[in-house]
Amino acid sequence: MRVIGHRGCPALGPENTLAAFRAAAARLDWVELDVRRCASGELVVFHDSTLDRLTEATGPVADATRSELRALRVGDSEESIPTLAEVFAALPDRVSVNVELKEAGLADDIVALVADAANDVLVSSFDPDALREVREAAEREGALGTTDLPRAFLFATDWDRSLRVAAELDCVAVHPHYDLLSAVRVAEAHDAGFELNAWTVLEREVVERLREWGVDGVIVDDPAVVGNGLREA
């Protein structure tokens, strides 16, 4: 079962920062991150739509330029908000990356960046339009030497509808909240041709239950909840 470091694993460093991604990469083969566009056009790695929770600034990320974001610090750390390109540059090539799109309108930039990256990439989103744009952009550009870029549909409700949406978008995986799952549903997703990565798992007993059901991956804040089998840092 793959273990995916959620936002680089907040247990290891401030979420979605280079420090967190480097620490996660020392232990895990996968990391997950959130992408949105800032005012000057760059793709930045930041979960929230506003700066209020994690920085001393306020207001939408979309209204701040890259230079303004670079000057901010995440939480009480010395870490700044990185661009997506900076995260890829910091990660070893062997680490796979789950890029979660927080908004539509990012597809062309994502496809262009991934085409130059050595890492394996899976693009996910709660927004079907964002995933549809990625599919279309990848087909136009021939990303990675193919006509596709793997996609996963994220959801927290409505199991049946979500599987239908994932199928319509030609997704290779579904990313449900773990509370939606049962052994029957895991088998149903597999029978439909999807891999299944569950988010965000906080307790070891939940990890073990999901493992028993055959879940392909778990997205975690802290690698310690998985127990043995992680790379030594």
Side-chain angles (χ1 to χ4, degrees):
M1 183 171 65
R2 71 178 62 92
V3 181
I4 305 170
H6 183 230
R7 308 181 196 174
C9 288
L12 305 177
E15 66 175 66
N16 277 325
T17 64
L18 295 182
F21 293 122
R22 289 180 176 125
R27 296 163 173 83
L28 303 174
D29 294 323
W30 277 83
V31 296
E32 182 265 359
L33 52 80
D34 305 286
V35 177
R36 56 179 70 252
R37 195 183 299 281
C38 68
S40 50
E42 294 88 349
L43 301 187
V44 294
V45 179
F46 200 77
H47 177 272
D48 298 1
S49 62
T50 68
L51 297 163
D52 303 48
R53 177 175 66 93
L54 287 174
T55 78
E56 66 273 23
T58 60
V61 176
D63 290 349
T65 65
R66 175 68 194 120
S67 60
E68 290 169 338
L69 294 176
R70 191 186 299 275
L72 301 177
R73 293 297 173 263
V74 178
D76 58 1
S77 75
E78 292 302 311
E79 292 294 308
S80 62
I81 298 169
T83 64
L84 182 58
E86 287 170 343
V87 174
F88 272 103
L91 288 172
D93 293 350
R94 62 164 180 80
V95 175
S96 299
V97 185
N98 175 189
V99 176
E100 181 186 338
L101 306 185
K102 304 305 291 184
E103 58 197 29
L106 309 181
D108 287 337
D109 288 346
I110 291 289
V111 168
L113 190 151
V114 169
D116 293 331
N119 311 75
D120 289 335
V121 175
L122 175 67
V123 177
S124 66
S125 186
F126 287 95
D127 184 345
D129 288 337
L131 294 178
R132 190 173 292 109
E133 289 172 359
V134 168
R135 180 179 62 185
E136 293 169 355
E139 289 171 350
R140 286 195 305 270
E141 299 299 326
L144 307 179
T146 72
T147 58
D148 204 2
L149 180 59
R151 295 171 299 282
F153 184 51
L154 271 158
F155 56 96
T157 60
D158 204 338
W159 174 262
D160 292 335
R161 174 188 173 276
S162 296
L163 289 191
R164 289 196 299 271
V165 170
E168 291 166 2
L169 293 168
D170 300 316
C171 291
V172 301
V174 289
H175 288 189
H177 190 274
Y178 69 86
D179 274 342
L180 288 177
L181 296 178
S182 65
V184 170
R185 283 184 166 178
V186 172
E188 182 182 0
H190 286 160
D191 289 344
F194 300 117
E195 292 196 355
L196 194 156
N197 301 310
W199 58 275
T200 298
V201 184
L202 305 177
E203 299 174 350
R204 186 171 297 188
E205 52 266 37
V206 177
V207 171
E208 293 309 313
R209 182 166 70 247
L210 297 175
R211 193 195 306 272
E212 291 173 5
W213 290 344
V215 166
D216 299 285
V218 289
I219 300 172
V220 302
D221 283 346
D222 185 352
V225 302
V226 180
N228 296 329
L230 300 180
R231 180 179 291 103
E232 293 295 329

